């Protein structure tokens, strides 16, 4: 195997990638391992390893994702001549660098690809490239906010005419991602998976600790750069991510998972959310004054914070683009895209905005397998020929697993591996959270809405295909609740505040997904639901249970269906139900 290191700062290496070459991008060994296969800058397959191993946040080498991709594409593995890894390893100690490099080469040997070129790309360049090259922007400011990648936590890039220039770096231990994760842990949720929970909890609280946090825990400078007080945190090693000093500072013990959520926990969530937002805004504001561009790109794990993303779009009034998977799994695409567009032969290669995230495997030729599984697990099944059959079930308050087409790449279910319900059903949120997902009752659900109606229901929403931004329901869709004075979080959860209670969070917000591709089954179902009910949206949440990856194969879907209180399961053109 040939091997070349790319300098993470200068990136002067010229990739020898020819037209029609198939490139393999790999992200692994940190968390959310994944692969991406590209041809001429276009994704032909992308998938996370967790979908196949069924291990949440799997960080191992993505063997199964790669093998499934080769099988789905019917692709000879030896067509892959260039492999790109999502870290340069330059900022890692020499002995550790050699260890990771040898591990990668060893893992690749099991796939037995003959003599590929192996390249390495800086972690934050991989994040930036994923965002920039998946957009149609000629020029853009690109901000990557991460926990940490090769000692860097935050980077700013300027992209123009397919070239990326790194113009700013903030190094560990000063990290917005690690700071947010520390508070996630402090509030009793798991790091690397519980950040969503804290974000969902924040609207229940009041921002009363922001000044306290900024006075002692985080020092912010004029350009948005910041320093974190290490007295309160242990970001490295095997110790707890927070110190006892943090508990003393707030006069509260770390919440245990089984402990009741109190008002103080909600207030801490609201406060750290606000602090993170203000630092992000300050960084963007400082850089945007120096570069004349109408385009902003976000990358890194912090770009999964849809509350902040929605505010960025509104505050800066710029075109905003985020790759469907802006965290580490998206780096498999980012490093491969950078290699493609940096190659001398491809410098005039045209880019186009990514259309959808349905980039994994489909199983729609497995009708015999579905019928066999139904017989094995004693399930009723029948073929349907009109989406009206599913609409009737939804109107009758049934919760449905919806499985169609290629699996989504990234952390969101976007209509092909989804649990769906009628958003007008006031009991849907409680039922899905407690009896299906087995998760905290305060967790909100997202609406999937026909694109042409999005702005009619949500303030400022025109396009949000990847469920990455929070918007607010328009006032004419709300119910007046001013006379109700509810203090307890659980009373607030059950309060009906809009015409669509199943998708309306406590602050009248919703993480919206718009859908406009008419050939997709979910679009056809939504259209039929609108024709019958006059409502152009459905509840859309990921098809999994708490702490499990989103389902990948029909067997995964059937297993989840059997083990939960989902009423019906739709797989391609079959409707499945339970006999008992």
């Amino acid at each position: 195997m040939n091997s070349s290191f790319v300098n993470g700062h200068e990136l002067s290496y010229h990739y020898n990638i020819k037209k029609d070459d198939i490139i393999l991008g790999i992200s692994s060994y940190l968390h959310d391992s994944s692969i991406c296969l590209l041809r001429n800058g276009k994704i032909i397959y992308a998938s996370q390893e967790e979908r196949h191993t069924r291990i949440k946040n799997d960080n191992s080498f993505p063997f199964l994702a790669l093998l499934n991709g080769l099988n789905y594409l019917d692709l000879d593995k030896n067509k892959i001549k260039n492999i790109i890894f999502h870290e340069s390893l330059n900022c890692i100690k020499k002995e550790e660098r050699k260890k990771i490099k040898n591990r990668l080469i060893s893992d690749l040997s099991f796939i037995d690809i003959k003599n590929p070129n192996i390249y390495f790309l800086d972690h934050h360049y991989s994040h930036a490239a994923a965002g920039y090259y998946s957009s149609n922007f000629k020029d853009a400011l690109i901000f990557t906010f991460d926990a940490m990648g090769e000692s860097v936590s935050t980077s700013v890039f300027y992209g123009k005419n397919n070239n990326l220039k790194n113009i700013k770096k903030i190094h560990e231990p000063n990290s917005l991602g690690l700071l947010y994760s520390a508070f996630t842990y402090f509030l009793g949720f798991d790091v690397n998976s519980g950040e969503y929970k804290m974000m969902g909890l924040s609207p229940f609280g009041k921002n009363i600790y922001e000044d306290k946090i900024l006075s002692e825990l985080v020092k912010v400078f004029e350009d948005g750069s910041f320093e974190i007080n290490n007295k309160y945190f242990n970001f490295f090693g095997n110790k707890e991510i927070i110190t006892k000093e943090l508990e003393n500072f707030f006069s509260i013990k770390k919440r245990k998972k089984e402990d009741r959520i109190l008002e103080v926990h909600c207030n801490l969530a609201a406060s750290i959310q606000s602090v993170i937002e203000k630092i992000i805004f300050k960084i963007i504001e400082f850089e945007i004054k120096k570069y004349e561009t109408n385009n902003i790109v976000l990358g890194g794990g912090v770009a999964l914070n849809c509350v902040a993303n929605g505010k960025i779009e509104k505050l800066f009034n710029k075109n905003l683009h985020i790759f469907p998977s802006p965290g580490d799994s998206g780096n498999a695409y980012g490093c491969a895209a950078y290699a493609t567009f940096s190659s001398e032969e491809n410098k005039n290669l045209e880019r186009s905005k990514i259309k959808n995230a349905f980039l994994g495997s489909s199983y729609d030729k497995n009708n015999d397998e579905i019928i066999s599984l139904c017989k094995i697990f004693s399930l009723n099944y029948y073929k349907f020929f009109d989406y009206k059959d599913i609409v009737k079930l939804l109107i009758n308050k049934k919760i449905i697993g919806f499985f169609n087409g290629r699996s989504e790449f990234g952390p969101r279910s976007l209509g092909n591996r989804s649990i769906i319900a009628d958003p007008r059903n006031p009991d849907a949120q409680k039922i899905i959270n407690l009896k299906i997902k087995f998760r905290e009752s305060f967790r909100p659900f997202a609406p999937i809405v026909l694109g042409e109606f999005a702005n009619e229901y949500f303030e400022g929403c025109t396009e949000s295909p990847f469920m990455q931004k929070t918007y607010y329901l328009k006032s004419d869709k709300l119910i007046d609740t001013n006379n109700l004075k509810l203090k307890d979080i659980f009373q607030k959860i059950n309060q009906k505040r809009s015409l669509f209670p199943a998708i309306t969070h406590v602050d009248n917000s919703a993480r919206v997904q718009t859908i406009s591709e008419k050939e997709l089954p979910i679009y056809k179902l939504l259209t039929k639901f609108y024709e019958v009910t006059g409502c152009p949206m459905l509840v859309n949440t990921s098809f999994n249970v708490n702490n499990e990856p989103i389902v990948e194969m029909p067997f995964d879907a059937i297993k989840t269906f059997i083990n939960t209180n989902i009423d019906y399961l739709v797989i391609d053109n079959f409707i499945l139900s339970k006999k008992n």
Side-chain angles (χ1 to χ4, degrees), residues 92-107:
I92 300 172
K93 291 179 182 177
K94 190 175 181 180
E95 59 272 20
E96 190 66 23
R97 181 192 313 171
K98 186 176 179 182
K99 183 179 175 183
I100 293 174
K101 183 183 174 185
N102 289 341
R103 181 182 178 187
L104 176 66
I105 291 170
S106 174
D107 284 341

Side-chain angles (χ1 to χ4, degrees), residues 17-31:
I17 292 168
K18 297 179 174 62
K19 191 175 184 297
D20 294 326
D21 276 0
I22 293 173
I23 304 172
L24 169 62
I26 296 174
S27 170
S28 64
Y29 308 143
L30 296 176
H31 55 85

Side-chain angles (χ1 to χ4, degrees), residues 54 400-403 413 416-419 437 541-545 549-551 556-558 560-561 566 569-570:
R54 312 306 302 154
I400 296 175
F402 198 71
F403 183 108
S413 283
N416 280 12
R417 304 286 187 276
S418 293
I419 294 173
K437 305 278 279 190
T541 189
S542 56
F543 197 161
N544 64 342
V545 296
I550 297 168
V551 300
D556 304 327
I558 287 173
T560 303
F561 174 54
I566 294 174
L569 172 59
V570 174

Side-chain angles (χ1 to χ4, degrees), residues 366-431:
N366 294 4
N367 281 357
D368 290 343
E369 178 189 335
I370 294 167
I371 292 170
S372 295
L373 286 169
C374 287
K375 291 178 179 177
I376 290 167
F377 293 108
S378 298
L379 298 172
N380 296 317
Y381 66 93
Y382 67 91
K383 278 193 173 185
F384 72 92
F385 299 95
D386 191 328
Y387 284 100
K388 205 168 186 178
D389 292 357
I390 304 172
V391 170
K392 287 178 182 176
L393 298 174
L394 290 165
I395 292 172
N396 287 321
K397 299 186 177 181
K398 302 303 181 185
I399 312 296
I400 296 175
F402 198 71
F403 183 108
N404 280 275
R406 299 182 69 175
S407 58
E408 300 93 337
F409 181 54
R412 319 280 198 212
S413 283
L414 300 171
N416 280 12
R417 304 286 187 276
S418 293
I419 294 173
I420 57 174
D422 186 339
R424 304 167 304 170
N425 178 1
D427 298 320
Q429 183 188 19
K430 185 190 298 184
I431 292 169

Side-chain angles (χ1 to χ4, degrees), residues 457-501:
Y457 287 79
F458 301 97
E459 294 284 354
C461 180
T462 54
E463 184 184 48
S464 181
F466 306 126
M467 202 190 290
Q468 294 169 318
K469 294 169 279 189
T470 292
Y471 297 94
Y472 291 88
L473 268 168
K474 289 199 166 181
S475 58
D476 62 330
K477 307 295 186 293
L478 300 177
I479 294 170
D480 185 8
T481 58
N482 289 332
N483 294 327
L484 290 175
K485 294 182 179 180
L486 304 175
K487 289 187 177 181
D488 186 271
I489 178 175
F490 299 103
Q491 289 179 317
K492 291 178 182 178
I493 291 166
N494 297 321
Q495 177 188 11
K496 187 175 179 180
R497 58 187 62 86
S498 84
L499 301 176
F500 312 99

